[in-house]
């Protein structure tokens, strides 16, 4: 298949669905977690769960960089933005995420802060060049997918001697999050969340490759299939997981081989290694504090590190008690299990990050109407 339409072919999807139904053992349950929010949205948008037999269920994971950023880190960005000398450049996704006391970057902007939405670090560099009398800070978030572009911006800023540019780095790492899920009490101790296998994140894997997942398949006995984002990619990945589980195999397989190799993008990895190093610890929303799970800027580029330049201090902030984002990100709940989903919490008035981000599970359920025809909705609506 070479064209997008072929990845969305309804007849072929029906045949793959029939194969899954035929091969799924009716005597067992298959609980599969898709790590990436892009997969969650594709599953909801194309109604993939409706094509699966009842004993094959999808669990939504924490793979949304906006969703997993804790409130305390967002508060640090708001603190930066409120400084009169600062222009804060951020992705649009972050603007409406609620911070402490329901503040947000959007409200800070309405209050006079100079906050500009950008598509990437290159745009932030341009803003810095165009405003030599101001301090321009790029609010960098994301997994391994976006870290290389931030690294490029830091290298360029250093080579240009662009002293009015800095980066507030919040890049997090996928393998650490997978391990945290597998080690979480819900999965490992109590067994209240069952995860039989993972659909691996395709975007991240274009950078890091499929090799970093091999230890999870080996040590935790969970099969992983790295998947593309079209509906047939995901359907095929589900079938590959069902076949592994039926055969008692726990391996890393690569469905997304048109973009992902075992070793990934060496050039991007080298660039990230040059600019960043591991943080000792980093708090994730929903997963808690995880050692070696995020990146910080190396000493060589300290002059462009916003945390050092502005001496920012992280203060943990508890999530809104009415919001179930933390449990949803761990797979312990689904969006429809949250008492305020679709009532007090909507995309127009989000209470939590999962409803704000385009990759968030709650936003996907709401946007594609997965709540309209479910018995669960009748209980909570």
């Amino acid at each position: 298949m070479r064209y997008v339409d072929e990845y969305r072919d309804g007849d072929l999807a029906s045949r793959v669905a029939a194969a899954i139904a035929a091969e799924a053992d009716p005597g067992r349950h298959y609980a599969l977690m898709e790590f990436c929010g892009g997969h969650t949205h594709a599953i909801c948008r194309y109604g993939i769960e409706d094509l699966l037999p009842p004993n094959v269920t999808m669990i939504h994971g924490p793979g949304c960089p906006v969703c997993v950023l804790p409130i305390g880190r967002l508060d640090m960005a708001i603190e930066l933005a409120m400084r009169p000398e600062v222009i804060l450049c951020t992705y649009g996704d972050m603007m409406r995420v609620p911070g402490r006391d329901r503040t947000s970057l959007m409200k800070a902007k309405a209050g006079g802060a100079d906050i500009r939405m950008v598509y990437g670090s290159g745009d932030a560099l341009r803003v810095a060049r165009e405003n030599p009398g101001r301090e321009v800070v790029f609010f960098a978030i994301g997994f391994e997918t976006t870290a290389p572009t931030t690294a490029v911006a830091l290298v360029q800023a250093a080579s240009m001697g662009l002293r009015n540019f800095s980066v507030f780095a919040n890049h997090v790492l996928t393998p650490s999050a997978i391990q945290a899920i597998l080690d979480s009490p819900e999965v490992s101790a109590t067994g209240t969340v069952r995860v039989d296998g993972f659909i691996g994140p395709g975007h991240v894997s274009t950078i890091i490759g499929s090799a970093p997942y091999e230890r999870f398949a080996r040590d935790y006995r969970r099969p992983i299939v790295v998947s593309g984002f079209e509906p047939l990619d995901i359907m095929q990945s589900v079938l590959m997981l069902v076949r592994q589980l039926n055969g008692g195999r726990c391996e890393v397989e690569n469905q997304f081989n048109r973009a992902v190799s075992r070793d990934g993008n060496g050039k991007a990895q080298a660039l990230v290694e040059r600019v960043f190093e591991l943080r000792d610890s980093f708090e994730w929303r929903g997963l808690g504090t995880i050692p070696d799970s995020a990146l910080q800027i190396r000493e060589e580029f300290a002059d462009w590190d916003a945390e050092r330049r502005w001496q920012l201090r992280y203060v943990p902030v508890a999530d809104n008690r009415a919001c179930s984002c933390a449990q949803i990100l761990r797979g312990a709940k689904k969006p429809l299990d949250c008492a305020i989903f679709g009532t007090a919490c909507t995309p127009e008035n989000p209470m939590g990050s999962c409803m704000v981000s385009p990759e968030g599970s709650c936003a996907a359920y709401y946007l594609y109407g997965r709540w309209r025809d479910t018995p669960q909705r009748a209980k909570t609506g």
Side-chain angles (χ1 to χ4, degrees):
M1 296 187 294
R2 292 185 299 166
Y3 305 109
V4 170
D5 288 347
E6 293 173 298
Y7 292 96
R8 301 175 183 178
D9 183 288
D11 292 337
L12 187 52
S14 297
R15 291 201 291 273
V16 178
I20 295 171
E23 298 192 34
D25 182 349
R28 67 182 297 180
H29 181 228
Y30 303 80
L32 310 177
M33 173 178 279
E34 83 276 3
F35 182 91
C36 182
H39 286 144
T40 303
H41 269 248
I43 288 168
C44 292
R45 177 179 180 183
Y46 296 104
I48 288 175
E49 285 186 291
D50 297 340
L51 298 174
L52 302 177
N55 60 331
V56 178
T57 57
M58 306 304 300
I59 303 168
H60 313 311
C64 163
V66 175
C67 300
V68 298
L69 193 73
I71 293 174
R73 301 293 293 187
L74 176 61
D75 284 348
M76 293 165 76
I78 295 173
E79 176 189 336
L80 265 175
M82 294 303 293
R83 294 174 181 264
E85 66 270 41
V86 166
I87 299 173
L88 183 79
C89 294
T90 180
Y91 296 113
D93 302 8
M94 291 303 307
M95 291 296 290
R96 294 188 304 122
V97 179
R100 183 198 301 266
D101 299 327
R102 299 285 292 156
T103 58
S104 68
L105 289 173
M106 182 72 80
K107 291 179 179 177
K109 184 176 177 65
D114 193 345
I115 302 172
R116 305 187 188 185
M117 287 181 282
V118 295
Y119 290 107
S121 56
D123 292 338
L125 273 178
R126 175 181 51 75
V127 174
R129 290 197 300 271
E130 293 173 352
N131 295 272
R134 303 284 302 280
E135 289 284 344
V136 176
V137 181
F138 177 54
F139 185 14
I141 67 165
F143 290 90
E144 292 91 335
T145 319
T146 52
T149 62
T150 303
V152 168
L154 285 164
V155 170
Q156 289 181 334
S159 66
M160 292 187 294
L162 199 61
R163 296 291 175 177
N164 68 323
F165 176 79
S166 59
V167 169
F168 176 37
N170 295 276
H171 290 294
V172 291
L173 304 175
T174 303
S176 302
I178 292 177
Q179 178 154 354
I181 292 168
L182 289 169
D183 289 338
S184 67
E186 288 96 340
V187 174
S188 63
T190 66
T192 52
V193 176
R194 178 176 170 178
V195 180
D196 296 318
F198 288 92
I199 291 182
H203 290 340
V204 165
S205 304
T206 61
I207 303 298
I208 68 173
S210 62
Y213 310 122
E214 291 173 358
R215 63 189 174 97
F216 301 117
R218 180 187 62 243
D219 297 342
Y220 289 86
R221 303 297 297 164
R222 301 295 202 288
I224 297 176
V225 174
V226 179
S227 176
F229 292 87
E230 294 298 331
L232 277 172
D233 287 326
I234 298 170
M235 293 289 291
Q236 185 179 22
S237 298
V238 170
L239 180 58
M240 292 166 73
L241 283 171
V242 167
R243 285 174 174 169
Q244 281 208 53
L245 291 165
N246 285 348
R249 294 184 290 118
C250 295
E251 302 170 2
V252 176
E253 295 183 319
N254 182 12
Q255 184 277 335
F256 200 26
N257 55 17
R258 62 185 184 277
V260 171
S261 65
R262 181 179 182 277
D263 296 325
N265 185 328
K267 187 174 182 179
Q269 292 170 22
L271 187 59
V272 171
E273 176 67 21
R274 176 186 169 188
V275 173
F276 293 108
E277 60 187 358
L278 289 177
R279 289 183 188 269
D280 291 337
S281 65
F282 191 87
E283 183 183 1
W284 294 55
R285 188 185 294 231
L287 300 181
T289 300
I290 307 174
D292 299 331
S293 65
L295 300 175
Q296 64 183 10
I297 297 171
R298 287 187 182 276
E299 184 67 28
E300 178 185 349
F301 296 92
D303 289 346
W304 292 271
D305 184 345
E307 286 190 71
R308 301 191 208 199
R309 181 177 297 188
W310 304 100
Q311 298 183 337
L312 299 175
R313 188 171 65 91
Y314 178 68
V315 178
V317 179
D319 288 328
N320 186 322
R321 285 188 295 178
C323 172
S324 297
C325 276
Q327 296 94 323
I328 291 168
L329 290 166
R330 295 198 303 271
K333 285 187 176 182
K334 287 199 169 187
L336 299 178
D337 298 326
C338 179
I340 59 174
F341 175 88
T343 53
C345 185
T346 65
E348 292 75 26
N349 182 39
M351 300 290 286
S353 58
C354 294
M355 187 61 91
V356 178
S357 170
E359 292 190 0
S361 300
C362 296
Y365 270 60
Y366 196 95
L367 179 63
Y368 300 114
R370 304 300 301 168
W371 50 275
R372 293 194 182 101
D373 54 0
T374 62
Q376 185 71 36
R377 173 61 188 169
K379 294 177 185 176
T380 57

